[in-house]
Structures are given as structure tokens and as C-alpha cells.
Amino acid sequence: MKTIPLPSTSHTPAAYSGPSLDQVLAQRKQYLNPGLFLYYKQPIMIVEGKMQYVWDSTGKRYLDGLGGIVTVSVGHCHPHILAAMNEQNKVLQHSTTIYLNPNIGAFAEKLASKMPGDLKVCYFVNSGSEANDLALLMARLVTGNYDVIALRNAYHGGNAAGMGVTAHSGWKFNVPHSFGVHHAVTPYPYRGNFGYDDPDAGKKYADDVKQVIDYTTSGKVAAFIAESIQGVGGFVEFPEGYLKHAYEHVRAAGGVCIADEVQTGFGRTGSHYWGFETHGVIPDIVTMAKGIGNGAPLAAVVTTPKIAAVMAQKTHFNTFGGNPVVSAIGKAVLEVIDNEKTQQNCLELGNYILAGLNKLKEKYKIIGDVRGKGLMLGIEFVKDRATKEPNKEACAQAVENARELGLLLGKGGLWGQTIRFAPPMNITKADADFLLAVLDEAIGAVN
């Protein structure tokens, strides 16, 4: 493969002088759980990051095309966020919500200002899994119902409740789970029964939600939970009208609608601040994590005053939720998104990259589908376009090739057949051109 130069950067990384990769790998094997997995045949050790770039222990620079798994939203070590974090660390590192602190309220007010309708009450936790667990609890309490409708191919977390609504066998352990959870058909235009060419696909897929309610529940449900674009499932984008019709069926059965914005939120889709807004709906509960903290352990559930009130029935407490440091970080992230217009950047560069990916699809027959919105884009590999047999080997090799050329990417889909591209939202046109050139070379080497 030919070398493709990365765009220039003014940042000079420090010379790494810590333990070797082999030492760190040996330590990991001895002291960390073997369930932890590594990307790449030859693991890399990331030791420094600045904005959209990271450096490994050898000093090699990469464009971070996965953003810490859709988590580093506005750039590694962003100066505004570092300043907010460091200033708070100097005066008070931790104080729980049993005491007043100005940071949590200021953050909640700014976050609520980004929400449509009556979604104005926040509850802060540490991860998306926790957020979804709490959202399901709220839904069951406020409705008095138990059954939950989720989607196949979905991912909502690794705790008991999150694993229950997840429908992706690679992430579900063989233990009791999914109590009261029923999974509807994935609205997956590329692989499902109703394709991109069907103008009524959204309504037809949503009809299965009604079927699930009618045939597998009492007819009354607590909630419907869905990502606005399926993340781990391979950046699957739903057809127009799907969420609108699905929400109607669920609300008619007494349920509330939960939007999982853990990966799609904070302007990443470009056209809107929240992924659900691209569908023209307003959910009853919204969960968010990852990009909300730019790498800090922070997540939130935002809902209406009526639904939030159910939590006052009992004591519910999260020791670290709304911690002063992470609240300062979360507020700073929102400020950067506003001040640096990252949502507009996602829209413009996302459209530019998507057009480039479609050209690569025309060039390489192993690409079956390209999809997504903003800076949340997927490339699905197949062995044959007619049969759509997943080509996980081609996807894996393309990711390996891209790494060699200086681009870090993710994988998704049930078979690991889809490249996921979700970089920090501050990437440049030069980065986009680098990405497309690398993918051309990396996929060409596979093809």
C-alpha cells in the first residue's frame, strides 16, 4: 500500500518513556479480566491525544476515526475542557447530591435548554448502561406496566437491564435476562424485508411493533426503547417515519418512548442536535452518555417533570452522578459544541464524506452498503451483492490496513461486517480527504 500523509498538526507529542508495549501487555494479561479485548493483530498502545489525533508508544500518529468508541466528541485534551476540569479539581473533587453544589445545577440547566418540549428534568449517572437501566425503571413506575419493546440488533448496555434490552448475541451472556422484554424486527433497510426503495418501509417495519404488543404482551406496555441510529449494530439508519409510527403504537398501549442518544446525541448527526429529531418525534425519556463527557464517566437521563416525579416515591441515589468535576466537564463540552459549531461541521463534512463513500461503493463490489448521518457513518462489506452474505474478513482486513496507514476505525454489526466511522466532531476537510484516501487504499488492498 502506498503511504498517505496525515494532515499537519501544530502539536508536538512528548517522547514516551514509560513501560514497553510488551510489559503493559503482560501486566494486562496477568491482572486484568480476560474478557477485555484488543483491536488489531498487533496491538497498539495509545499514550497521548490532542484533538482528533492520537499517538502510540512509538510516536506514530493516527486520525482517531472512532473517537474512543463515539465518546471523544470535541477532541482529545480540548483546552477549554481541560481548564474547566483542572479549575474544579483544585477546589473540590467530590461532593454528592445530598449537598448543594452550583456545578450540577448549572450543567442541568444548560443541558435542559438543548431539549425540545417538556424534556427538562435531568438525573446524572456514570454510563449509558446505568442511564438505560434508570430510564426503564422510570417507565415501569410511571405507567404501572412491565413489558418493554426493544429492537433486534440493538445495544443498550452491559448491565442486567441493558443486556436484557440488547438484542445482539455477541453481547448477551448465557444467564437469565430479558424479563418482560420483547424484541421487534429491526428496521434495517439494507437487510430487511422492506428496502430503501420502499416509501412505506418505515410504517411497515413499525407494524411489527404493533404485532409484538398484540401477540406477546397483555396489550399494555411500559416502554419502547430504541437508538436513533443503531450503533454497535453497525450504524443502521431507520427508514423515514419508523419512529413516528412505532411511538404511536406504543403510546396507544399505555407505554412511554425512550430514545437512546448515547451515540447519536450532541449534534453528531449534523442536521439536528439529537438523533430523534431527525425523525420528527419527541420521546418521553432520553438517555445520553459517551459524547456528553468527552471521555469523562458521565451520563444522564432527561425526562418530563411528571415522569421524573415517580423517583420521589423511594430513595434512589447515585454516589458519583453529578459529581462537581464531571458536571464542570459536561457544561464545558456543551459550550465547545456551541462555540466551535461542531454540529455544522458534522453536517458539512458528513455529507462530503458520505458522497466519497458512495464513490468507493461504485468502485469496490465488496462494499454492499454505505449509510449514516453526519459524522456517524457505516460501510458494510459483503461477499456478494446479490446474496448480501456478510464479509467480516474483508471488514477486519480493511480496518487493519487503515491502521497501518494511520487511521483508526471501528467495527460493528452482528458479524463484524461493518466499518464504523465516528471521529471527534472537530475534524477538518483535510482529515476527511485523508480518510477517503486511506479507505480507498485499504479497501483496494483487500479487494
Side-chain angles (χ1 to χ4, degrees):
M1 295 183 294
K2 67 180 181 183
T3 300
I4 300 169
L6 272 158
S8 61
T9 177
S10 60
H11 181 72
T12 302
Y16 177 70
S17 58
S20 69
L21 184 150
D22 289 339
Q23 289 174 312
V24 171
L25 184 60
Q27 189 178 48
R28 174 178 171 128
K29 288 180 177 179
Q30 183 172 357
Y31 296 108
L32 294 180
N33 190 288
L36 300 176
F37 62 91
L38 288 164
Y39 262 19
Y40 306 115
K41 296 173 183 176
Q42 297 297 321
I44 59 175
M45 183 161 67
I46 302 299
V47 296
E48 189 167 341
K50 187 64 177 178
M51 302 307 284
Q52 66 268 48
Y53 303 118
V54 292
W55 286 260
D56 69 16
S57 53
T58 71
K60 181 174 179 176
R61 177 164 61 107
Y62 303 86
L63 174 63
D64 186 1
L66 189 55
I69 312 184
V70 207
T71 298
V72 180
S73 52
V74 296
H76 294 273
C77 299
H78 191 290
H80 183 68
I81 295 169
L82 285 179
M85 177 180 66
N86 291 338
E87 285 304 308
Q88 183 57 47
N89 267 319
K90 290 177 185 177
V91 293
L92 181 67
Q93 290 183 312
H94 181 65
S95 174
T96 70
T97 50
I98 62 173
Y99 309 114
L100 291 176
N101 183 274
N103 284 10
I104 186 173
F107 176 36
E109 182 177 11
K110 189 164 182 63
L111 180 59
S113 74
K114 303 296 184 182
M115 308 300 298
D118 205 21
L119 294 164
K120 300 300 178 189
V121 182
C122 307
Y123 195 116
F124 296 111
V125 292
N126 307 296
S127 70
S129 297
E130 281 186 279
N132 285 328
D133 176 80
L134 179 58
L136 294 170
L137 173 62
M138 287 182 175
R140 283 168 166 153
L141 290 174
V142 77
T143 64
N145 300 327
Y146 184 68
D147 288 305
V148 172
I149 310 299
L151 294 178
R152 298 175 189 175
N153 200 50
Y155 178 83
H156 295 289
N159 57 2
M163 191 190 304
V165 286
T166 291
H168 196 293
S169 60
W171 298 89
K172 292 171 80 76
F173 286 89
N174 188 21
V175 297
H177 56 63
S178 301
F179 302 110
V181 177
H182 311 270
H183 289 97
V185 168
T186 310
Y188 195 163
Y190 180 64
R191 291 197 170 274
N193 291 329
F194 313 111
Y196 292 117
D197 59 346
D198 188 339
D200 296 320
K203 183 179 184 301
K204 291 176 179 177
Y205 281 114
D207 285 345
D208 189 63
V209 173
K210 179 70 163 61
Q211 294 283 315
V212 169
I213 292 170
D214 288 345
Y215 285 97
T216 70
T217 77
S218 67
K220 292 294 183 181
V221 299
F224 169 76
I225 183 170
E227 303 156 273
S228 300
I229 295 175
Q230 289 188 328
V232 169
F235 286 2
V236 174
E237 188 180 2
F238 303 154
E240 184 178 353
Y242 174 75
L243 284 183
K244 175 180 178 293
H245 292 293
Y247 278 21
E248 288 171 353
H249 294 317
V250 171
R251 286 170 173 157
V256 298
C257 299
I258 303 170
D260 182 330
E261 291 283 327
V262 169
Q263 296 193 32
T264 50
F266 302 95
R268 179 164 289 281
T269 60
S271 59
H272 296 78
Y273 205 86
W274 304 107
F276 63 78
E277 292 177 307
T278 67
H279 295 271
V281 298
I282 298 179
D284 304 291
I285 304 174
V286 182
T287 61
M288 56 195 76
K290 291 185 179 285
I292 191 176
N294 201 50
L298 174 62
V301 179
V302 183
T303 189
T304 66
K306 177 183 176 182
I307 294 174
V310 300
M311 297 305 296
Q313 299 176 24
K314 299 280 184 179
T315 301
H316 191 279
F317 182 71
N318 188 294
T319 301
F320 299 104
N323 167 283
V325 176
V326 296
S327 292
I329 291 171
K331 182 170 177 287
V333 169
L334 299 180
E335 291 165 351
V336 172
I337 291 171
D338 288 345
N339 296 339
E340 298 187 4
K341 297 179 171 56
T342 60
Q343 181 182 331
Q344 184 65 24
N345 195 51
C346 288
L347 177 63
E348 293 173 359
L349 289 184
N351 287 338
Y352 178 77
I353 294 169
L354 187 60
L357 294 180
N358 275 306
K359 291 179 181 178
L360 293 180
K361 180 184 173 184
E362 293 174 5
K363 185 175 181 180
Y364 299 114
K365 291 184 179 180
I366 57 173
I367 298 177
D369 192 33
V370 297
R371 55 180 178 258
K373 287 184 181 295
L375 292 180
M376 188 173 183
L377 300 170
I379 309 167
E380 183 160 353
F381 290 82
V382 293
K383 294 181 178 179
D384 181 276
R385 284 185 176 176
T387 65
K388 299 182 182 178
E389 182 182 353
N391 196 339
K392 66 178 183 180
E393 296 83 8
C395 181
Q397 190 57 55
V399 169
E400 290 280 352
N401 293 348
R403 169 264 175 106
E404 186 177 330
L405 295 169
L407 173 64
L408 304 182
L409 296 166
K411 291 179 289 186
L414 180 61
W415 305 278
Q417 80 279 14
T418 302
I419 281 179
R420 298 197 293 160
F421 175 69
M425 298 188 294
N426 65 305
I427 66 166
T428 66
K429 170 73 161 40
D431 294 320
D433 287 332
F434 171 76
L435 162 78
L436 292 171
V438 167
L439 285 173
D440 193 1
E441 188 72 15
I443 297 170
V446 175
N447 199 58

